[in-house]
Amino acid sequence: MALQDVLDALVGSEPFERLLLERGRPIVARAEAGQGYVLAGVAVALDAPMMVVTPGPREAEDLETQIGAYLGAERVALMPDALPYEGMDPAPDVAARRADAVGRLRAADGPFVLVAPFLAAMQAVPPTLGATPPIRLAAGIEMAPDALAEQLGNHGYRRVDVVEHRGEFAVRGGVVDVFPGTARRPARLEYWGDEIERLREFSPSTQLSTKPVGGIEVSPVRELLPDDAARERAERRAPTHPDRFRDGLQRLADGLRFEGADTLAPFVFDHMPTPAELLPAGSWVAVTHAQRTLQRAAQAHAEAETLAEAIGWPAARVLHPLDEALGGR
């Protein structure tokens, strides 16, 4: 049987129908045939997006692979976690994957699964996360190197002399190198005038081109990409906060990029949703390895509260208790 046939057999079975019709909440089920199998079946049966919460990143990666085997890679996304209150931006690849996951969730229609470790599920995100589309580049597109450089800067990319890491780009005459936050390798764009003539992957260690590529998507590598309204709010609210936060907000208002800028989102936005709030009405959330996940989530929240109090965090809390973050789903 094909995987789709196996999934259809599950969804049409009597035990599975009883699971969906169960009136008690929360529903507790044993997935002896494999969690990925059952969760993919739930998404198909509901014909809607859902979120799956795991006890850690490793379990999330495993489930993403399992669910993707049944639904297809385009219908599952992994949202990595980030550390709140630490004063550090997520690494470019983490920020890009988080933005990509939320963007795909926003656009999802029909079965789709967002897989999140408990920390990612508990953490509020900027309401603009995932709303900025990636820059799509391919041969034949007209976009002058200087114009592309400006767009890359607006997406959080850092200009360097030699591209070696995700989130970096370089411009050398008619050649632009860029390492997209979600890509395995960087790409080299070769220009003829203002038109991209061809694209090639290259090795960051040797800087040698390896193979041609048809096109690339360059997702943002920062979670907070402030527009004019956000910068205005940052300037207005800066004087109301202690020195460390006031200085950061003023730099944000001035349009500067700096380490820790993403952590200022709670000062800029009146409300930051949790991932579960981004699900359509009536969507489900599944918590895997529930006892372990809930215990770790409670411990992480207690530690985060202690840290927030120690640093005198003056804005709205970023990390919420897991049951509160799931919003009653």
Side-chain angles (χ1 to χ4, degrees):
M1 296 176 69
L3 288 179
Q4 185 60 53
D5 295 332
V6 174
L7 202 58
D8 290 342
L10 169 67
V11 173
S13 67
E14 182 181 346
F16 195 80
E17 289 182 359
R18 288 202 305 270
L19 170 68
L20 295 180
L21 294 174
E22 173 62 49
R23 296 300 180 187
R25 292 293 187 271
I27 296 172
V28 179
R30 293 187 179 276
E32 294 180 359
Q35 290 182 345
Y37 178 44
V38 174
L39 292 167
V42 172
V44 168
L46 298 175
D47 193 29
M50 64 178 295
M51 185 168 78
V52 174
V53 184
T54 71
R58 181 180 58 80
E59 292 87 351
E61 292 174 0
D62 289 345
L63 265 184
E64 179 195 24
T65 302
Q66 293 174 31
I67 295 171
Y70 293 100
L71 297 184
E74 71 282 357
R75 290 198 171 273
V76 61
L78 170 63
M79 185 175 185
D81 51 37
L83 296 174
Y85 312 127
E86 297 285 350
M88 297 183 297
D89 293 330
D93 60 316
V94 172
R97 291 172 65 198
R98 284 167 60 85
D100 176 69
V102 171
R104 291 169 60 196
L105 173 63
R106 292 179 185 275
D109 182 23
F112 181 85
V113 181
L114 178 70
V115 185
F118 67 87
L119 197 60
M122 298 164 64
Q123 186 172 355
V125 300
T128 53
L129 184 66
T132 301
I135 304 170
R136 292 179 171 85
L137 302 170
I141 290 178
E142 284 199 15
M143 185 184 297
D146 289 345
L148 175 56
E150 182 178 359
Q151 286 205 34
L152 291 171
N154 292 337
H155 274 55
Y157 285 74
R158 187 167 65 94
R159 188 165 183 167
V160 296
D161 294 328
V162 179
V163 169
E164 297 178 306
H165 306 100
R166 291 179 180 86
E168 296 178 342
F169 76 97
V171 180
R172 298 185 306 280
V175 176
V176 177
D177 291 345
V178 59
F179 203 153
T182 56
R184 293 183 60 191
R185 289 196 171 200
R188 178 162 292 149
L189 287 63
E190 300 175 9
Y191 275 82
W192 177 263
D194 289 343
E195 180 181 312
I196 301 173
E197 185 177 28
R198 59 182 177 179
L199 296 83
R200 297 175 181 270
E201 282 188 351
F202 70 91
S203 167
S205 58
T206 65
Q207 295 294 302
L208 296 177
S209 298
T210 54
K211 66 177 183 179
V213 292
I216 60 172
E217 290 191 350
V218 186
S219 299
V221 290
R222 287 289 175 257
E223 295 200 358
L224 179 57
L225 301 174
D227 55 16
D228 290 342
R231 284 191 287 269
E232 189 276 331
R233 287 195 297 271
E235 184 168 21
R236 188 174 68 248
R237 295 172 181 180
T240 66
H241 292 292
D243 290 347
R244 178 161 65 94
F245 302 105
R246 180 172 65 243
D247 293 345
L249 286 169
Q250 188 57 58
R251 295 171 71 188
L252 198 66
D254 293 339
L256 302 177
R257 283 298 323 175
F258 53 94
E259 178 62 33
D262 285 354
T263 64
L264 298 177
F267 298 85
V268 175
F269 298 107
D270 294 327
H271 174 69
M272 291 183 30
T274 61
E277 290 182 66
L278 302 177
L279 292 167
S283 296
W284 284 28
V285 171
V287 179
T288 68
H289 305 287
Q291 185 173 3
R292 188 177 2 144
T293 299
L294 295 171
Q295 288 175 346
R296 289 182 178 180
Q299 180 180 354
H301 180 258
E303 292 172 352
E305 286 292 289
T306 301
L307 178 57
E309 292 176 8
I311 65 175
W313 181 258
R317 290 293 197 254
V318 182
L319 204 72
H320 302 281
L322 184 56
D323 57 347
E324 178 184 313
L326 299 185
R329 296 186 185 278

